[in-house]
Amino acid sequence: QVTLVESGGGLVQAGASLRLSCVAPGRTFSRNVMAWFRQTPGKEREYVAVISGSGDNTYYRDSVKGRFTISRDNANNTVFLQMNSLRPEDTAVYYCGLRRYPTLSIANKNWKTYDYWGQGTQVTVSS
């Protein structure tokens, strides 16, 4: 069992920034696709950003392009989500996901393809 540990959520005003972090244990971190998803009550978990094992390739959902940046530090088994220009509609619980495969595909936008998840961190953006 792999336990991912997220941090960095909080309550901010619209236009502010937050940086989420997720640490994953193990010696094969660079072989895993990592992603950030988010979920609000009554809705399915939706992908926000995905990054390949090497960090060379990324996907972003359209609504966050130009505002959010996903990155990873393979030496320290950590993936980040820098969120700028936050909007009230970004309010959600954000989850870090790990998929035991190094390269990206369209399937990575589906939360069901991930093998492990963190506990989630709440991000609340007030207007």
Side-chain angles (χ1 to χ4, degrees), residues 49-107:
V50 185
I51 189 167
S52 62
S54 66
D56 291 341
N57 297 291
T58 56
Y59 287 150
Y60 294 93
R61 72 180 300 105
D62 287 346
S63 63
V64 307
K65 285 180 182 176
R67 301 188 297 123
F68 291 11
T69 303
I70 189 171
S71 61
R72 64 190 298 158
D73 177 356
N74 286 345
N76 290 293
N77 284 22
T78 305
V79 63
F80 304 97
L81 184 68
Q82 178 67 43
M83 305 186 293
N84 298 329
S85 302
L86 282 161
R87 304 168 180 169
E89 54 264 39
D90 295 318
T91 295
V93 177
Y94 283 70
Y95 295 92
C96 172
L98 180 154
R99 185 178 190 224
R100 292 178 297 180
Y101 195 73
T103 57
L104 294 187
S105 71
I106 296 297

